[in-house]
Amino acid sequence: GQQLNQSPQSMFIQEGEDVSMNCTSSSIFNTWLWYKQDPGEGPVLLIALYKAGELTSNGRLTAQFGITRKDSFLNISASIPSDVGIYFCAGQRGTYKYIFGTGTRLKVLA
Amino acid sequence: GAGVSQSPRYKVAKRGQDVALRCDPISGHVSLFWYQQALGQGPEFLTYFQNEAQLDKSGLPSDRFFAERPEGSVSTLKIQRTQQEDSAVYLCASSSLTTYTEAFFGQGTRLTVV
């Protein structure tokens, strides 16, 4: 099935560093969502974006809805060990169906 | 309940066996989704319910997969004559609106077909 492209696929960073990841699509979406998934758990919603150009923060997380509506970005500031996990973007075209990305695996070195 | 609940958490099935996976959505949520997540991949859409109506089943891989939500609350995903390629995590999600909404996921059921 269709999946959105996320980059990087994985990354190791030092605790305290900032992290950036992005998600791209060949199609336009009306809503972008970012989820985090820990091992053995379901995805947990982090941030939802509803308008092109929108910039939304949730604590140390900031996400942006790309102006072309074909991409989205997630930044994590001052990373901590519990940020480790897999981050998924998901796009929605105005119906109920979410298309998920391939995931960015984040590992934080203390 | 406070969140989406799925059972069982883990299921091992012999090839050819039928399985049933249960989802209890957040109380009052109209929309319910099933997703399949293969190892190392993102979730992929299987089917969508609005109340008891199954509005989209385009993601179901074959006619061995069947989902129902008879009373608009609890949903069951049934897989008949399981095959090894059915091994995956099956995620259920629910949301309170029909569109432009934020879905909340359960912990998933990990199905292993041996």
Side-chain angles (χ1 to χ4, degrees), chain A residues 35-96:
Chain A
Y35 285 88
K36 178 175 182 276
Q37 187 173 30
D38 293 328
E41 301 294 327
V44 174
L45 182 66
L46 299 174
I47 291 180
L49 302 157
Y50 299 103
K51 199 162 58 171
E54 179 182 354
L55 188 71
T56 297
S57 293
N58 179 8
R60 294 179 296 106
L61 277 60
T62 301
Q64 184 161 24
F65 192 138
I67 198 71
T68 66
R69 296 166 64 193
K70 293 183 178 181
D71 54 11
S72 182
F73 308 88
L74 177 70
N75 295 312
I76 305 173
S77 62
S79 58
I80 59 178
S82 62
D83 290 335
V84 68
I86 305 176
Y87 291 79
F88 289 104
C89 63
Q92 188 185 44
R93 289 196 185 92
T95 60
Y96 41 81

Side-chain angles (χ1 to χ4, degrees), chain A residues 12 24 32 34 38-39 43 85 92:
Chain A
F12 286 83
T24 59
W32 283 96
W34 283 93
D38 293 328
Q92 188 185 44

Side-chain angles (χ1 to χ4, degrees), chain B residues 74-114:
Chain B
V74 171
S75 177
T76 304
L77 176 67
K78 298 180 179 178
I79 308 173
Q80 297 177 325
R81 304 182 302 283
T82 53
Q83 300 178 6
Q84 283 192 317
E85 60 263 31
D86 299 335
S87 296
V89 174
Y90 290 87
L91 294 164
C92 177
S94 69
S95 64
S96 60
L97 301 172
T98 55
T99 58
Y100 296 101
T101 189
E102 302 158 10
F104 295 87
F105 282 81
Q107 293 177 301
T109 294
R110 180 176 295 279
L111 174 64
T112 304
V113 181
V114 297

